[in-house]
Coordinates of all heavy atoms in Angstrom, one line a residue:
M509 N -10.4 6.4 -14.6 CA -9.7 6.0 -13.3 C -9.3 7.2 -12.6 O -8.9 8.2 -13.2 CB -8.4 5.1 -13.7 CG -7.6 4.6 -12.6 SD -8.3 3.9 -11.1 CE -9.2 2.5 -11.7
T510 N -9.3 7.3 -11.3 CA -9.0 8.4 -10.4 C -7.6 8.4 -10.0 O -7.1 7.3 -9.7 CB -9.9 8.4 -9.2 OG1 -11.3 8.3 -9.6 CG2 -9.7 9.6 -8.3
M511 N -6.9 9.6 -9.9 CA -5.6 9.6 -9.4 C -5.8 9.7 -7.9 O -6.6 10.5 -7.3 CB -5.0 10.9 -9.8 CG -3.6 11.2 -9.3 SD -2.4 10.1 -9.9 CE -1.1 11.2 -10.2
Y512 N -5.2 8.8 -7.1 CA -5.2 8.8 -5.7 C -4.3 9.8 -5.1 O -3.1 9.9 -5.5 CB -4.8 7.4 -5.2 CG -5.7 6.3 -5.5 CD1 -5.3 5.4 -6.5 CD2 -7.1 6.3 -5.1 CE1 -6.1 4.3 -6.9 CE2 -7.9 5.3 -5.5 CZ -7.5 4.3 -6.4 OH -8.4 3.4 -6.8
S513 N -4.7 10.6 -4.2 CA -4.0 11.8 -3.6 C -2.9 11.2 -2.6 O -3.1 10.1 -2.1 CB -4.9 12.7 -2.8 OG -5.4 12.2 -1.7
S514 N -1.9 11.9 -2.5 CA -0.8 11.5 -1.7 C -1.3 11.5 -0.2 O -0.8 10.7 0.6 CB 0.4 12.5 -1.7 OG 1.0 12.3 -3.0
S515 N -2.1 12.4 0.2 CA -2.7 12.4 1.6 C -3.5 11.2 1.9 O -3.4 10.7 3.0 CB -3.4 13.7 1.9 OG -4.6 13.8 1.0
T516 N -4.3 10.7 0.9 CA -5.1 9.5 1.1 C -4.1 8.3 1.3 O -4.3 7.5 2.1 CB -6.0 9.3 -0.1 OG1 -6.9 10.3 -0.1 CG2 -6.8 8.0 0.0
V517 N -3.1 8.2 0.4 CA -2.1 7.1 0.5 C -1.4 7.2 1.8 O -1.3 6.2 2.5 CB -1.1 7.2 -0.7 CG1 0.0 6.2 -0.4 CG2 -1.8 7.0 -2.0
A518 N -1.0 8.4 2.3 CA -0.3 8.5 3.5 C -1.1 8.1 4.7 O -0.7 7.4 5.6 CB 0.2 10.0 3.8
N519 N -2.4 8.5 4.6 CA -3.4 8.1 5.8 C -3.6 6.6 5.8 O -3.6 6.0 6.9 CB -4.7 8.8 5.5 CG -4.7 10.2 5.8 OD1 -3.8 10.7 6.5 ND2 -5.6 11.0 5.3
M520 N -3.7 5.9 4.6 CA -3.9 4.5 4.6 C -2.6 3.8 5.1 O -2.7 2.8 5.8 CB -4.3 4.0 3.2 CG -5.6 4.4 2.8 SD -6.1 3.8 1.2 CE -6.3 2.1 1.6
I521 N -1.5 4.3 4.7 CA -0.2 3.6 5.2 C -0.1 3.8 6.7 O 0.3 2.9 7.4 CB 1.0 4.3 4.4 CG1 1.0 3.8 3.0 CG2 2.3 4.0 5.2 CD1 2.1 4.5 2.2
E522 N -0.4 5.0 7.3 CA -0.3 5.2 8.7 C -1.3 4.3 9.4 O -0.9 3.7 10.4 CB -0.7 6.7 8.9 CG -0.5 7.0 10.4 CD -0.8 8.6 10.7 OE1 -0.5 9.3 9.8 OE2 -1.4 8.7 11.8
L523 N -2.5 4.1 8.8 CA -3.5 3.2 9.4 C -2.9 1.8 9.4 O -3.1 1.1 10.4 CB -4.8 3.4 8.7 CG -5.9 2.6 9.3 CD1 -6.3 3.0 10.7 CD2 -7.2 2.8 8.4
L524 N -2.4 1.4 8.3 CA -1.8 0.0 8.3 C -0.7 -0.2 9.3 O -0.7 -1.2 10.0 CB -1.3 -0.3 6.9 CG -0.6 -1.7 6.7 CD1 -1.7 -2.8 6.8 CD2 0.1 -1.8 5.4
E525 N 0.1 0.8 9.4 CA 1.3 0.7 10.3 C 0.8 0.7 11.9 O 1.4 0.1 12.7 CB 2.3 1.8 10.2 CG 3.0 1.8 8.9 CD 3.8 3.0 8.6 OE1 3.5 4.1 9.1 OE2 4.7 3.0 7.7
S526 N -0.2 1.3 12.1 CA -0.7 1.5 13.5 C -1.8 0.4 13.9 O -2.2 0.3 15.0 CB -1.3 2.8 13.8 OG -2.5 3.0 12.9
T527 N -2.1 -0.5 12.9 CA -3.1 -1.6 13.2 C -2.4 -2.8 13.4 O -1.4 -3.1 12.7 CB -4.0 -1.6 12.1 OG1 -4.7 -0.4 11.8 CG2 -5.2 -2.7 12.3
S528 N -2.9 -3.7 14.3 CA -2.3 -4.9 14.5 C -2.2 -5.8 13.2 O -3.0 -5.6 12.4 CB -3.0 -5.8 15.6 OG -4.2 -6.2 15.1
A529 N -1.2 -6.6 13.1 CA -1.1 -7.4 11.9 C -2.2 -8.2 11.6 O -2.6 -8.3 10.5 CB 0.2 -8.3 12.0
S530 N -2.8 -8.8 12.6 CA -3.9 -9.6 12.4 C -5.3 -8.9 12.0 O -6.1 -9.4 11.4 CB -4.3 -10.4 13.6 OG -4.6 -9.7 14.7
S531 N -5.3 -7.6 12.3 CA -6.5 -6.8 12.0 C -6.3 -5.9 10.7 O -7.3 -5.2 10.3 CB -6.8 -5.9 13.2 OG -7.1 -6.7 14.2
A532 N -5.2 -5.9 10.1 CA -4.9 -5.0 9.0 C -5.1 -5.6 7.7 O -4.8 -4.9 6.7 CB -3.4 -4.6 9.2
G533 N -5.7 -6.7 7.5 CA -5.9 -7.4 6.3 C -6.7 -6.5 5.2 O -6.2 -6.4 4.1
N534 N -7.7 -5.9 5.7 CA -8.6 -5.1 4.8 C -7.8 -3.9 4.2 O -7.9 -3.5 3.0 CB -9.9 -4.7 5.4 CG -10.8 -5.7 5.5 OD1 -10.8 -6.8 4.8 ND2 -11.7 -5.6 6.4
I535 N -7.0 -3.3 5.1 CA -6.3 -2.1 4.7 C -5.2 -2.5 3.7 O -5.0 -1.8 2.7 CB -5.6 -1.4 6.0 CG1 -6.7 -1.1 7.0 CG2 -4.8 -0.2 5.6 CD1 -6.2 -0.8 8.4
A536 N -4.5 -3.6 4.0 CA -3.5 -4.1 3.1 C -4.1 -4.4 1.7 O -3.4 -4.2 0.8 CB -2.8 -5.3 3.7
E537 N -5.2 -5.1 1.7 CA -5.9 -5.4 0.5 C -6.3 -4.1 -0.4 O -6.1 -4.1 -1.6 CB -7.2 -6.2 0.8 CG -6.9 -7.6 1.2 CD -8.2 -8.4 1.6 OE1 -9.3 -7.9 1.2 OE2 -8.1 -9.4 2.2
Q538 N -6.8 -3.1 0.2 CA -7.1 -1.9 -0.4 C -5.8 -1.3 -1.0 O -5.8 -0.9 -2.1 CB -7.7 -0.8 0.6 CG -9.1 -1.2 1.0 CD -9.7 -0.2 1.9 OE1 -9.3 0.9 1.9 NE2 -10.6 -0.7 2.8
L539 N -4.7 -1.2 -0.3 CA -3.5 -0.7 -0.8 C -3.0 -1.6 -1.9 O -2.5 -1.1 -2.9 CB -2.4 -0.6 0.4 CG -2.6 0.6 1.3 CD1 -1.7 0.3 2.6 CD2 -2.3 1.9 0.8
Q540 N -3.1 -2.9 -1.8 CA -2.7 -3.7 -2.9 C -3.5 -3.5 -4.2 O -3.0 -3.4 -5.2 CB -2.8 -5.3 -2.5 CG -2.2 -6.2 -3.5 CD -0.7 -6.0 -3.7 OE1 0.1 -6.1 -2.8 NE2 -0.2 -5.7 -5.0
R541 N -4.8 -3.4 -4.0 CA -5.6 -3.0 -5.1 C -5.2 -1.7 -5.8 O -5.1 -1.7 -7.0 CB -7.1 -2.9 -4.7 CG -7.7 -4.3 -4.7 CD -9.3 -4.2 -4.7 NE -9.8 -3.5 -3.5 CZ -10.1 -4.0 -2.4 NH1 -9.9 -5.2 -2.1 NH2 -10.5 -3.3 -1.4
R542 N -4.9 -0.7 -5.0 CA -4.5 0.5 -5.6 C -3.2 0.4 -6.3 O -3.1 1.0 -7.4 CB -4.5 1.6 -4.5 CG -5.8 2.0 -4.0 CD -5.8 3.1 -3.1 NE -7.3 3.3 -2.6 CZ -7.7 4.3 -2.0 NH1 -6.8 5.3 -1.7 NH2 -8.9 4.4 -1.7
L543 N -2.3 -0.3 -5.8 CA -1.1 -0.6 -6.4 C -1.2 -1.4 -7.7 O -0.6 -1.0 -8.8 CB -0.1 -1.3 -5.5 CG 1.4 -1.4 -5.9 CD1 2.0 -0.1 -6.3 CD2 2.2 -2.2 -4.9
D544 N -2.1 -2.4 -7.7 CA -2.4 -3.2 -8.9 C -3.0 -2.3 -9.9 O -2.7 -2.5 -11.1 CB -3.3 -4.4 -8.5 CG -2.6 -5.5 -7.7 OD1 -1.3 -5.4 -7.5 OD2 -3.3 -6.3 -7.1
D545 N -3.9 -1.5 -9.6 CA -4.6 -0.6 -10.5 C -3.6 0.3 -11.2 O -3.6 0.5 -12.4 CB -5.7 0.3 -9.8 CG -7.0 -0.5 -9.5 OD1 -7.0 -1.6 -9.9 OD2 -7.8 0.0 -8.7
H546 N -2.7 0.9 -10.4 CA -1.6 1.8 -10.8 C -0.8 1.1 -11.9 O -0.5 1.6 -13.0 CB -0.8 2.3 -9.7 CG 0.4 3.0 -10.1 ND1 0.2 4.3 -10.6 CD2 1.7 2.8 -10.0 CE1 1.4 4.8 -10.9 NE2 2.3 3.9 -10.6
R547 N -0.4 -0.2 -11.6 CA 0.4 -0.9 -12.5 C -0.4 -1.3 -13.8 O 0.2 -1.1 -14.8 CB 0.9 -2.2 -11.8 CG 1.9 -1.9 -10.8 CD 2.4 -3.1 -10.0 NE 3.4 -2.8 -9.1 CZ 3.7 -3.6 -8.0 NH1 3.0 -4.7 -7.8 NH2 4.7 -3.2 -7.2
E548 N -1.6 -1.6 -13.7 CA -2.4 -2.0 -14.9 C -2.7 -0.8 -15.7 O -2.5 -0.8 -16.9 CB -3.7 -2.7 -14.5 CG -4.5 -3.3 -15.5 CD -3.8 -4.4 -16.3 OE1 -3.0 -5.2 -15.7 OE2 -3.9 -4.5 -17.5
W549 N -3.1 0.3 -15.1 CA -3.4 1.5 -15.9 C -2.0 2.1 -16.4 O -2.1 2.7 -17.5 CB -4.2 2.6 -15.1 CG -5.6 2.2 -14.9 CD1 -6.2 1.5 -13.9 CD2 -6.6 2.5 -15.9 NE1 -7.5 1.4 -14.2 CE2 -7.8 2.0 -15.3 CE3 -6.6 3.1 -17.1 CZ2 -9.0 2.2 -16.1 CZ3 -7.8 3.3 -17.8 CH2 -9.0 2.9 -17.3
G550 N -0.9 1.9 -15.8 CA 0.3 2.4 -16.2 C 0.7 1.8 -17.6 O 1.4 2.5 -18.4
K551 N 0.3 0.6 -17.8 CA 0.5 -0.1 -19.1 C -0.1 0.7 -20.3 O 0.3 0.6 -21.4 CB 0.1 -1.5 -19.1 CG 0.8 -2.4 -18.1 CD 0.2 -3.9 -18.1 CE 0.8 -4.7 -17.0 NZ 0.1 -6.0 -16.9
Q552 N -1.2 1.5 -19.9 CA -1.9 2.2 -20.9 C -1.5 3.7 -20.9 O -2.1 4.5 -21.5 CB -3.4 2.1 -20.7 CG -3.8 0.6 -20.9 CD -5.3 0.4 -20.4 OE1 -6.1 1.4 -20.6 NE2 -5.6 -0.7 -20.0
G553 N -0.5 4.0 -20.1 CA 0.0 5.4 -20.1 C -0.8 6.3 -19.0 O -0.7 7.5 -19.2
V554 N -1.5 5.6 -18.2 CA -2.4 6.5 -17.2 C -1.9 6.2 -15.8 O -1.7 5.0 -15.4 CB -3.9 6.0 -17.3 CG1 -4.7 6.8 -16.3 CG2 -4.4 6.2 -18.7
A555 N -1.5 7.2 -15.1 CA -1.0 7.1 -13.7 C -2.2 7.3 -12.8 O -3.0 8.2 -12.9 CB 0.1 8.2 -13.4
T556 N -2.3 6.4 -11.7 CA -3.3 6.5 -10.7 C -2.7 6.8 -9.4 O -3.4 7.1 -8.4 CB -4.1 5.2 -10.6 OG1 -3.3 4.2 -10.2 CG2 -4.9 4.9 -11.9
L557 N -1.3 6.8 -9.3 CA -0.6 7.1 -8.1 C 0.7 7.9 -8.6 O 1.2 7.7 -9.7 CB -0.1 5.9 -7.4 CG -1.1 5.0 -6.7 CD1 -0.5 3.7 -6.3 CD2 -1.7 5.7 -5.5
R558 N 1.2 8.7 -7.7 CA 2.5 9.3 -8.0 C 3.5 8.2 -7.8 O 3.3 7.3 -7.0 CB 2.8 10.5 -7.0 CG 1.8 11.7 -7.3 CD 2.2 12.8 -6.3 NE 3.5 12.7 -5.7 CZ 3.8 13.4 -4.6 NH1 3.0 14.1 -4.0 NH2 5.0 13.3 -4.2
A559 N 4.6 8.3 -8.5 CA 5.6 7.2 -8.4 C 6.1 7.0 -7.0 O 6.3 5.8 -6.6 CB 6.8 7.5 -9.4
D560 N 6.3 8.1 -6.3 CA 6.9 7.9 -4.9 C 5.8 7.3 -4.0 O 6.1 6.5 -3.1 CB 7.4 9.2 -4.4 CG 6.4 10.3 -4.2 OD1 5.5 10.4 -5.1 OD2 6.5 11.1 -3.3
D561 N 4.5 7.5 -4.3 CA 3.5 6.9 -3.5 C 3.3 5.4 -3.8 O 3.2 4.6 -2.9 CB 2.1 7.6 -3.7 CG 1.9 9.0 -3.1 OD1 2.7 9.3 -2.2 OD2 1.2 9.7 -3.6
A562 N 3.6 5.1 -5.0 CA 3.5 3.7 -5.4 C 4.7 2.9 -4.8 O 4.5 1.8 -4.2 CB 3.6 3.5 -7.0
R563 N 5.9 3.5 -4.7 CA 7.0 2.9 -4.0 C 6.7 2.8 -2.5 O 7.1 1.8 -1.9 CB 8.3 3.8 -4.2 CG 8.8 3.6 -5.6 CD 10.3 4.2 -5.7 NE 10.2 5.6 -5.6 CZ 9.9 6.4 -6.6 NH1 9.7 6.0 -7.8 NH2 10.0 7.8 -6.4
K564 N 6.1 3.8 -1.9 CA 5.8 3.7 -0.5 C 4.8 2.6 -0.2 O 5.0 1.9 0.8 CB 5.2 5.1 0.0 CG 6.2 6.1 0.0 CD 5.5 7.5 0.4 CE 6.4 8.7 0.3 NZ 5.7 9.9 0.6
I565 N 3.8 2.5 -1.0 CA 2.8 1.4 -0.8 C 3.5 0.0 -1.0 O 3.3 -0.8 -0.1 CB 1.7 1.5 -1.8 CG1 0.8 2.6 -1.5 CG2 0.9 0.2 -1.8 CD1 -0.3 3.0 -2.5
A566 N 4.3 -0.1 -2.0 CA 5.1 -1.5 -2.2 C 5.9 -1.8 -0.9 O 5.9 -2.9 -0.4 CB 5.9 -1.4 -3.4
A567 N 6.6 -0.7 -0.4 CA 7.5 -1.0 0.8 C 6.6 -1.3 2.0 O 7.1 -2.2 2.7 CB 8.3 0.3 1.0
V568 N 5.6 -0.6 2.3 CA 4.8 -0.9 3.5 C 4.1 -2.2 3.4 O 3.9 -3.0 4.3 CB 3.8 0.3 3.8 CG1 2.6 0.2 2.9 CG2 3.4 0.2 5.3
L569 N 3.7 -2.7 2.1 CA 3.1 -4.0 1.9 C 4.1 -5.1 2.2 O 3.8 -6.1 2.8 CB 2.4 -4.1 0.6 CG 1.1 -3.3 0.4 CD1 0.7 -3.4 -1.0 CD2 0.0 -3.8 1.3
D570 N 5.3 -4.9 1.7 CA 6.5 -5.9 2.0 C 6.6 -5.9 3.5 O 6.8 -7.0 4.1 CB 7.7 -5.4 1.3 CG 7.7 -5.6 -0.2 OD1 6.8 -6.5 -0.6 OD2 8.6 -5.1 -0.8
W571 N 6.7 -4.8 4.2 CA 6.9 -4.7 5.7 C 5.7 -5.4 6.4 O 6.0 -6.3 7.3 CB 6.9 -3.3 6.1 CG 6.8 -3.1 7.7 CD1 7.9 -3.3 8.5 CD2 5.7 -2.7 8.3 NE1 7.4 -3.0 9.8 CE2 6.1 -2.7 9.7 CE3 4.4 -2.4 8.0 CZ2 5.2 -2.4 10.7 CZ3 3.5 -2.1 9.1 CH2 3.9 -2.1 10.3
H572 N 4.5 -5.3 5.9 CA 3.3 -5.9 6.5 C 3.4 -7.4 6.3 O 3.1 -8.2 7.3 CB 2.0 -5.4 5.9 CG 0.8 -6.1 6.3 ND1 0.4 -6.0 7.7 CD2 -0.1 -6.9 5.7 CE1 -0.7 -6.6 7.8 NE2 -1.0 -7.2 6.6
K573 N 3.8 -7.9 5.2 CA 4.0 -9.3 4.9 C 5.0 -9.9 5.8 O 4.9 -11.0 6.4 CB 4.3 -9.6 3.4 CG 3.2 -9.3 2.5 CD 3.6 -9.4 1.0 CE 2.4 -8.9 0.1 NZ 2.9 -8.8 -1.2
R574 N 6.1 -9.2 6.0 CA 7.2 -9.7 6.9 C 6.6 -9.7 8.3 O 6.9 -10.7 9.1 CB 8.5 -8.8 6.9 CG 9.3 -9.0 5.6 CD 10.6 -8.4 5.7 NE 10.7 -7.0 6.2 CZ 10.4 -6.0 5.4 NH1 10.3 -6.1 4.1 NH2 10.4 -4.7 5.9
R575 N 5.9 -8.8 8.7 CA 5.3 -8.7 10.0 C 4.3 -9.9 10.3 O 4.4 -10.5 11.3 CB 4.6 -7.4 10.2 CG 3.8 -7.2 11.4 CD 3.3 -5.7 11.6 NE 2.1 -5.5 10.7 CZ 1.2 -4.7 11.1 NH1 1.2 -3.9 12.1 NH2 0.2 -4.4 10.2
L576 N 3.6 -10.2 9.2 CA 2.7 -11.4 9.4 C 3.5 -12.7 9.5 O 3.1 -13.6 10.3 CB 1.7 -11.5 8.2 CG 0.6 -10.5 8.0 CD1 -0.1 -10.5 6.8 CD2 -0.3 -10.6 9.2
R577 N 4.5 -12.8 8.7 CA 5.4 -14.0 8.8 C 6.0 -14.2 10.2 O 6.3 -15.3 10.6 CB 6.4 -14.0 7.7 CG 5.9 -14.4 6.3 CD 7.0 -14.7 5.4 NE 8.0 -13.6 5.3 CZ 7.9 -12.6 4.4 NH1 7.0 -12.6 3.5 NH2 8.8 -11.7 4.3
N578 N 6.3 -13.1 10.8 CA 7.0 -13.0 12.1 C 6.1 -13.1 13.3 O 6.4 -12.7 14.4 CB 7.9 -11.8 12.2 CG 9.0 -11.9 11.3 OD1 9.6 -13.0 10.9 ND2 9.6 -10.7 10.8
G579 N 4.8 -13.4 13.0 CA 3.9 -13.6 14.1 C 3.3 -12.3 14.6 O 3.0 -12.2 15.8
G580 N 3.3 -11.2 13.7 CA 2.8 -9.9 14.2 C 3.8 -9.0 14.9 O 3.5 -7.9 15.3
V581 N 5.1 -9.4 14.9 CA 6.1 -8.6 15.5 C 6.4 -7.5 14.5 O 6.7 -7.8 13.4 CB 7.4 -9.4 15.8 CG1 8.5 -8.6 16.4 CG2 7.0 -10.6 16.8
V582 N 6.5 -6.3 15.0 CA 6.7 -5.2 14.2 C 8.2 -4.9 14.2 O 8.9 -4.7 15.3 CB 6.0 -3.9 14.7 CG1 6.4 -2.7 13.9 CG2 4.5 -4.1 14.7
G583 N 8.8 -5.1 13.1 CA 10.3 -4.8 12.9 C 10.5 -3.5 12.4 O 9.6 -2.7 12.2
V584 N 11.7 -3.3 12.0 CA 12.2 -1.9 11.4 C 11.6 -1.9 10.0 O 11.9 -2.8 9.2 CB 13.6 -1.8 11.5 CG1 14.1 -0.5 10.8 CG2 14.1 -1.8 12.9
K585 N 10.9 -0.8 9.6 CA 10.4 -0.7 8.3 C 11.6 -0.1 7.4 O 12.5 0.4 7.9 CB 9.3 0.4 8.3 CG 8.1 -0.1 8.9 CD 7.0 0.9 8.7 CE 7.5 2.3 9.2 NZ 6.6 3.4 9.2
C586 N 11.5 -0.5 6.1 CA 12.5 -0.1 5.1 C 12.1 1.3 4.6 O 11.1 1.7 4.5 CB 12.7 -1.0 4.0 SG 13.2 -2.6 4.7

């Protein structure tokens, strides 16, 4: 398993934030897969993300889900 770089994570987060809610599905799915991989590999003691990057991904995915529920309206991110 590969360790994802902070710059890659930051670029994907920026892309998700700047893409309309209806068009951001693939980006969100990629971020979710990376977070899921990190959690699964973490059970075996292998980190695939830095802890702060994992938290950033989780926060932006929560924000994206709220954005979808609100009809694509972009609110204040946490």
Side-chain angles (χ1 to χ4, degrees):
M509 181 48 59
T510 303
M511 176 74 136
Y512 298 110
S513 73
S514 290
S515 61
T516 299
V517 170
N519 288 339
M520 290 183 74
I521 288 172
E522 184 178 329
L523 186 59
L524 179 69
E525 292 172 342
S526 64
T527 303
S528 69
S530 60
S531 299
N534 288 337
I535 303 162
E537 288 175 15
Q538 288 179 30
L539 284 168
Q540 186 64 58
R541 275 196 303 272
R542 289 184 182 195
L543 189 57
D544 292 345
D545 285 348
H546 174 69
R547 289 176 177 156
E548 189 61 36
W549 282 95
K551 294 175 187 174
Q552 300 173 29
V554 178
T556 60
L557 293 167
R558 291 183 20 201
D560 61 327
D561 287 339
R563 284 189 296 274
K564 289 176 188 175
I565 289 173
V568 78
L569 287 173
D570 286 343
W571 169 79
H572 176 65
K573 289 173 190 172
R574 284 193 312 274
R575 179 170 71 151
L576 287 172
R577 282 193 305 267
N578 291 332
V581 176
V582 178
V584 177
K585 291 184 306 184
C586 299

